[in-house]
Amino acid sequence: MKKMNLGAMALAGVLTCSAPALAVDLNAYGNIKLGTFWTQNNFYNAAGDKRHDSDFSLDNFGDSFVGVKVKEGEYSGVAELGLYNPKAYSKGVEVRLLFAEWDFGQGKLRIGKTPSPYVFRSQQVWDSDGGFNGYGSLWDGRYANIKVTMNNGLYVTAMQPRVGNQANNTTNVSPNADVTAAYSQTGNSYQTTYTDYDTMLPKMVVGYEGKLDNWSYGGGVAGNMYKVTSSVNDSTPIKHDIYSYLAFFHGKVDLAPLEFSYNVFAGQNTGDLMSTATGNGTGNTLANPGQANGAYYDVLHGKNSHTYGGFGQLGYRVTDRATLYTGASYVVDDNSIAHTDARMASFVNVNYAVGKHFNIVPEVDYINDFKNSLGQKEPRSLIAGAKWQMSF
């Protein structure tokens, strides 16, 4: 990672020095964010007994970043480095965005690492500008993709395929490498006990983004497919074909000084399509209390899960410096033999511009995970604090 970061900085330096000779437009930018929050959690054991804990935190936001934009004729590119989430400091600096784009006249072709097209976030700032991550925004990270966007708003995206919440496509490799390494995608070491996740096609997203007067809107469908094969001590392999899909719709109505934003979606095995996008758990069977959130295909019983949810948000510009936002979300995961796993989040904040490049956002949040797919109570959280942000 250090070598990559040094290389990226060196490349940026070379581009900066050679920009005039290459007739390249080069612009640097950044956004540094910090949070001061008080959090109180109520949580429960399997019998429903309650405990609570509360803490004050002062830490960097994981989505603080610096970047550079480059443009030369019909070609452009973006490289952006940012902090990892404060819960993962050991991973160091993250390459948030890295893509190039070609404007071919009737549309644009983009290749590289970007967020998924179905992501639509709220103005919630808690948890590093969480925006209802895991609670209705469909956020699932940034992955390699090829996207073609036509001038009429229609787009098609081929993305890195997903295999649920697994870190690798197989346990049958040596060494057990990271999911983003090409050679980790296919087994190369014979083991008597193994689980393989076989992918055949990219994850596909087809959608449309448009605008009608004061209404900006978008929507589309996404699909992903993979096979799971597992065996214990060379026993007869158990196989599952896992199909997942998502339909999504989002938009914003601007009736200044009032605005309304929304995001709604429904799908099958959405955890297998988007990793942890729709839930905050990591289990993919019903045998793991506290983690089985119901968004994944249940390999234990051979059952599909179904998810629906979304959020609504109101904004009101109080003054030229202050905008009030409030929103609420609700998401449900379910399958035919499990308890419904529902969760909600809500917030109210004021985005106040102290200066041209300095904003403070005081906020109050309430989050309720209700019960998991085993019918056990999950945490409730009350949060109050503020985001501090400077941009350049």
Side-chain angles (χ1 to χ4, degrees):
M1 179 65 74
K2 291 181 179 178
K3 291 181 179 179
M4 181 180 67
N5 292 337
L6 289 173
M9 288 187 287
L11 177 60
V14 171
L15 288 173
T16 302
C17 294
S18 59
L22 297 175
V24 172
D25 293 328
L26 187 67
N27 295 290
Y29 62 94
N31 207 318
I32 310 304
K33 309 172 186 179
L34 182 146
T36 52
F37 284 93
W38 173 81
T39 303
Q40 177 176 287
N41 290 336
N42 292 323
F43 46 93
Y44 309 84
N45 64 10
D49 299 323
K50 182 173 72 173
R51 291 184 180 176
H52 70 271
D53 188 24
S54 59
D55 287 291
F56 173 79
S57 63
L58 189 159
D59 213 333
N60 295 310
F61 270 26
D63 64 338
S64 296
F65 57 83
V66 293
V68 61
K69 296 180 180 179
V70 183
K71 190 176 190 308
E72 195 277 318
E74 67 267 33
Y75 294 93
S76 61
V78 172
E80 189 174 289
L81 299 178
L83 293 175
Y84 269 94
N85 189 291
K87 292 173 283 189
Y89 269 138
S90 61
K91 293 185 177 181
V93 175
E94 175 190 21
V95 179
R96 288 168 47 91
L97 297 175
L98 186 63
F99 67 87
E101 194 169 66
W102 170 43
D103 186 340
F104 55 85
Q106 293 76 36
K108 295 179 179 180
L109 169 66
R110 187 188 69 196
I111 61 172
K113 177 183 180 182
T114 67
S116 303
Y118 39 73
V119 174
F120 191 79
R121 304 172 77 181
S122 75
Q123 293 291 331
Q124 182 194 46
V125 302
W126 179 76
D127 195 22
S128 295
D129 283 330
F132 287 147
N133 289 352
Y135 293 84
S137 74
L138 295 177
W139 171 257
D140 65 343
R142 304 171 182 89
Y143 300 100
N145 67 85
I146 303 170
K147 182 179 182 181
V148 176
T149 304
M150 304 306 295
N151 291 340
N152 63 5
L154 181 68
Y155 65 83
V156 178
T157 309
M159 302 187 65
Q160 183 180 21
R162 302 303 301 156
V163 288
N165 65 324
Q166 305 303 317
N168 293 276
N169 279 9
T170 180
T171 59
N172 214 23
V173 296
S174 180
N176 194 7
D178 190 85
V179 67
T180 56
Y183 62 82
S184 74
Q185 302 297 307
T186 305
N188 61 11
S189 175
Y190 189 97
Q191 298 177 15
T192 58
T193 298
Y194 66 91
T195 301
D196 280 336
Y197 304 86
D198 295 329
T199 57
M200 288 136 283
L201 294 168
K203 177 170 68 175
M204 297 300 301
V205 186
V206 178
Y208 179 83
E209 296 287 340
K211 185 176 175 61
L212 179 63
D213 296 328
N214 296 327
W215 179 30
S216 301
Y217 58 90
V221 292
N224 187 68
M225 182 267 182
Y226 66 96
K227 296 183 178 182
V228 179
T229 304
S230 59
S231 175
V232 178
N233 294 326
D234 275 340
S235 61
T236 301
I238 299 174
K239 299 182 179 181
H240 294 274
D241 292 344
I242 301 179
Y243 298 91
S244 53
Y245 64 83
L246 171 74
F248 58 94
F249 306 93
H250 54 244
K252 176 182 175 181
V253 181
D254 190 350
L255 302 172
L258 184 68
E259 65 179 58
F260 172 68
S261 300
Y262 64 91
N263 188 42
V264 294
F265 56 87
Q268 173 179 287
N269 302 327
T270 54
D272 295 292
L273 183 140
M274 298 178 289
S275 187
T276 57
T278 57
N280 56 356
T282 57
N284 61 352
T285 75
L286 301 181
N288 197 355
Q291 293 186 333
N293 66 4
Y296 299 92
Y297 177 85
D298 178 8
V299 297
L300 183 63
H301 302 96
K303 298 292 184 180
N304 292 311
S305 70
H306 297 91
T307 298
Y308 61 88
F311 72 78
Q313 173 185 279
L314 287 173
Y316 182 76
R317 179 171 289 278
V318 182
T319 70
D320 290 341
R321 288 178 174 264
T323 303
L324 172 70
Y325 291 103
T326 183
S329 69
Y330 187 74
V331 181
V332 173
D333 301 319
D334 198 9
N335 73 22
S336 58
I337 63 173
H339 292 270
T340 297
D341 181 2
R343 57 198 172 277
M344 63 81 64
S346 60
F347 77 94
V348 58
N349 68 31
V350 177
N351 190 327
Y352 181 73
V354 180
K356 182 178 179 181
H357 299 290
F358 179 30
N359 288 64
I360 298 177
V361 188
E363 179 174 280
V364 176
D365 304 79
Y366 176 69
I367 298 173
N368 192 333
D369 286 349
F370 299 117
K371 295 182 179 181
N372 64 17
S373 57
L374 297 172
Q376 300 169 346
K377 279 188 174 182
E378 293 196 296
R380 282 83 164 138
S381 301
L382 180 64
I383 302 115
K387 176 179 79 168
W388 308 71
Q389 174 180 310
M390 291 190 184
S391 58
F392 58 88

